[in-house]
Amino acid sequence: SKLQQEQNILRQQTNNSKNILVLLPLLGIIIFIVLYITATLLYPGGSQIDKNSIGFSWINNYWCNLLNQKAINGQHNSAKPVAMTGMFVLCLTLSIFWFIFPRHINVGKKLKLAIQIFGTLSMIIAFFLFTSINHDLIINLASIFGLVATVGAFIGLYKMKSFRLFAFGLLNILFIGLNNYVYYTKGLIVYLPIVQKITFATFLFWISCINISLYREQGKKATNKGISDLL
């Protein structure tokens, strides 16, 4: 009947809106990247290799350098407001991801809740990187909470049979392990800024791929449901 068709169209539009919400973290990651690049263009200079260097070095500077009140060369860091905004966007983005992702995977309620809580706590703690609180303490706490959420994500991806994303996630774990090794052993610390950026990029790409995968999966379900309704 005409009424049923209208109800089906309305239901389809509602499902499409819900599907688009799944892509919010992807949008946040794009905004963060734009802000990150903008902040690097505003950074006065100075790095771990050369305190008097000019501008931001993708090889020798860390992301955290952009968050400091003063640049390493002693000048006022005009990149800080942009970098702080980027940090806020990133933490909010990943918090949204850790909230949305468990709702679309086939795991128990307790694990879903654990992913949401620990993932969000990890991002809240990470936002304090720009404060005077001990840097290593913030990193370690955020990493511990983030690890719990990530393990939950691996379980979800495995149950979804998303084996490529599962394997790509393992690659991220290897990069994180390499980061910790370089940071704590100090012997190869000169290479840490590069390793950090590669790890950062692969992690955000992994999250983006998961979001796109969820969006496609929800689209398939909505299409199949629409076909079944018509039948």
Side-chain angles (χ1 to χ4, degrees):
S1 67
K2 186 176 180 181
L3 178 60
Q4 286 179 326
Q5 289 179 344
E6 290 177 351
Q7 288 177 338
N8 288 336
I9 292 172
L10 182 61
R11 190 182 300 115
Q12 183 68 35
Q13 289 174 341
T14 302
N15 288 332
N16 289 338
S17 298
K18 289 180 179 179
N19 291 343
I20 292 174
L21 288 176
V22 173
L23 292 177
L24 274 178
L26 179 60
L27 175 62
I29 288 172
I30 293 172
I31 294 173
F32 166 74
I33 292 172
V34 172
L35 291 170
Y36 187 121
I37 294 173
T38 302
T40 63
L41 297 175
L42 295 172
Y43 183 73
S47 69
Q48 65 173 359
I49 299 298
D50 183 3
K51 292 183 178 180
N52 299 313
S53 62
I54 299 173
F56 183 86
S57 170
W58 287 87
I59 297 176
N60 299 315
N61 279 110
Y62 298 95
W63 160 247
C64 293
N65 294 151
L66 300 173
L67 296 166
N68 296 330
Q69 189 67 36
K70 284 189 176 182
I72 295 177
N73 65 5
Q75 295 182 26
H76 172 72
N77 183 18
S78 54
K80 183 180 178 180
V82 178
M84 282 180 60
T85 303
M87 190 68 186
F88 174 76
V89 169
L90 180 63
C91 291
L92 180 61
T93 294
L94 294 180
S95 294
I96 293 172
F97 170 79
W98 289 124
F99 180 78
I100 291 176
F101 175 68
R103 302 176 67 180
H104 297 277
I105 57 177
N106 184 27
V107 296
K109 289 183 179 180
K110 289 183 179 179
L111 183 55
K112 286 184 179 182
L113 190 61
I115 294 172
Q116 290 175 330
I117 292 174
F118 284 96
T120 303
L121 279 175
S122 175
M123 293 302 99
I124 291 173
I125 293 170
F127 188 66
F128 286 94
L129 274 174
F130 71 89
T131 66
S132 58
I133 300 175
N134 184 274
H135 178 275
D136 289 352
L137 177 64
I138 295 298
I139 291 292
N140 291 333
L141 284 175
S143 297
I144 291 170
F145 286 121
L147 179 62
V148 175
T150 302
V151 169
F154 276 119
I155 295 172
L157 290 173
Y158 186 81
K159 289 195 172 185
M160 288 170 62
K161 296 183 179 181
S162 298
F163 299 123
R164 289 183 180 179
L165 290 174
F166 185 91
F168 190 40
L170 291 178
L171 177 64
N172 276 278
I173 296 296
L174 290 176
F175 274 125
I176 291 170
L178 179 61
N179 264 271
N180 288 328
Y181 175 79
V182 173
Y183 181 75
Y184 287 107
T185 58
K186 305 296 183 184
L188 300 172
I189 197 72
V190 67
Y191 299 109
L192 185 57
I194 300 174
V195 176
Q196 182 193 67
K197 291 179 182 68
I198 293 173
T199 304
F200 213 27
T202 53
F203 176 74
L204 293 181
F205 184 66
W206 181 55
I207 296 294
S208 299
C209 288
I210 292 175
N211 270 131
I212 293 171
S213 178
L214 289 178
Y215 177 76
R216 288 175 175 173
E217 189 65 28
Q218 293 306 305
K220 288 179 182 178
K221 289 181 180 178
T223 301
N224 292 335
K225 192 174 186 307
I227 292 173
S228 64
D229 287 342
L230 289 173
L231 296 175

